[in-house]
Amino acid sequence: MTSLSRHAVGLLLTATLTASSALVVYAQPSVDTTFGANLTKVPEGDARGIFPQPDGKVFVTGAFKVAGGLARDSVVKLNSDGSVDPSFMGPDFRANEPFNPARIMDLAIQSTGKILVGGEFYEVDGQPKYRLVRLNANGSLDTSFAPQPLTWVVTKILVLSDDKIVIGGGFRYSDPSGPRNQLVRLNADGTLDTPFRFSPEPPNVVSGLVLQSDGKLVVATGNNVIRYATTGASDATFGPIACDNSVNTVKQQADGRLVIGGIFTNVNGFGLPR
């Protein structure tokens, strides 16, 4: 077993700085030893996401089985000092254990306080649940949330102002009205928002979602960044942004500019400095 505490601290630092309006860089940064997070992974485990909350507490997701010496499976809520918040006890997630463990990739919270989590899993608390579930505020499984089974993986979750949900990843969502691939919009209860469809669908796994102030949706997929209008149609006024390798994330600055990251060295034919 390997401790993920420093990795988690590093992710928390990144998340905190990204959210800040000002950035102060010290010449000799050091690990905050007062932050007591200690996640113990399963084989092939990791920490995938850090989600600071308004009260200073933090959700951490990934592939782990223990946090702070307590049983916590793939999602944990930490106090501001890194200790485990005992008021939140998530369910048991299962995939093809132990060599392909359940992994929570993203988390989002609806206005009701209920918590959406998505990733790689096909069983939750012994029930067949595929890649997307909703938890109550205390971490228990919300059985009233029942989306159609999704194949493979959900990587990104976005909650809209009306509590509708956009999910992205590498999946197929089957429905009598026609399948959806990689990107789909759901109603607040997890049912398909049937009249709405993204067209054309992202050609590859979705790795980033940004909702802009005008309601348009920026999507990182494979080597590209694309944008959809509020109707779900491709926005012809945007881009294209094409890279020579994978785009792994996209974020929007306060001034509206987009920042993309990944393993590419060339964007729209322009080589990046090394």
Side-chain angles (χ1 to χ4, degrees):
M1 295 292 189
T2 302
S3 171
L4 297 182
S5 57
R6 290 196 177 186
H7 184 54
V9 170
L11 283 173
L12 177 61
L13 178 64
T14 300
T16 302
L17 294 180
T18 301
S20 300
S21 57
L23 173 61
V24 178
V25 178
Y26 294 93
Q28 294 181 335
S30 59
V31 173
D32 181 358
T33 57
T34 66
F35 186 77
N38 189 358
L39 312 181
T40 304
K41 72 177 186 178
V42 294
E44 304 301 323
D46 52 30
R48 282 300 177 105
I50 300 277
F51 306 90
Q53 301 301 298
D55 61 1
K57 295 185 178 184
V58 181
F59 283 104
V60 181
T61 66
F64 50 85
K65 296 296 183 184
V66 177
L70 301 174
R72 292 294 188 275
D73 192 348
S74 304
V75 58
V76 63
K77 189 176 185 180
L78 304 177
N79 296 309
S80 59
D81 63 357
S83 61
V84 175
D85 181 352
S87 69
F88 180 89
M89 179 68 182
D92 179 44
F93 294 93
R94 292 289 168 185
N96 186 19
E97 311 284 347
F99 301 106
N100 183 28
R103 180 176 280 106
I104 302 302
M105 307 291 284
D106 204 9
L107 176 151
I109 300 177
Q110 293 181 295
S111 64
T112 58
K114 294 193 175 185
I115 303 158
L116 299 162
V117 295
E120 297 176 272
F121 54 85
Y122 56 73
E123 184 179 286
V124 181
D125 277 350
Q127 303 179 45
K129 299 288 181 181
Y130 299 90
R131 286 85 191 182
L132 179 70
V133 295
R134 188 167 68 185
L135 308 179
N136 297 308
N138 65 0
S140 61
L141 181 64
D142 179 3
T143 56
S144 69
F145 184 81
Q148 292 290 331
L150 295 150
T151 62
W152 192 25
V153 64
V154 170
T155 58
K156 294 296 175 183
I157 307 172
L158 183 65
V159 175
L160 306 179
S161 59
D162 58 1
D163 266 350
K164 290 187 177 183
I165 307 156
V166 175
I167 58 171
F171 57 75
R172 182 180 179 87
Y173 184 104
S174 297
D175 187 79
S177 65
R180 273 60 165 182
N181 298 286
Q182 275 73 260
L183 190 64
V184 65
R185 193 169 81 179
L186 306 176
N187 296 310
D189 62 358
T191 57
L192 180 65
D193 187 359
T194 306
F196 187 90
R197 182 187 291 269
F198 291 102
S199 179
E201 296 172 324
N204 295 291
V205 175
V206 170
S207 56
L209 295 176
V210 168
L211 183 67
Q212 298 187 304
S213 59
D214 58 2
K216 293 182 177 181
L217 184 68
V218 177
V219 179
T221 172
N223 297 5
N224 303 282
V225 180
I226 57 180
R227 188 166 71 181
Y228 291 95
T230 56
T231 61
S234 177
D235 181 2
T237 68
F238 180 84
I241 299 175
C243 303
D244 64 344
N245 214 322
S246 298
V247 179
N248 294 335
T249 188
V250 57
K251 301 294 182 182
Q252 183 169 268
Q253 297 181 149
D255 61 3
R257 295 185 181 185
L258 297 170
V259 179
I260 64 174
I263 58 175
F264 51 83
T265 58
N266 186 291
V267 180
N268 285 356
F270 293 95
L272 302 179
R274 303 190 185 189

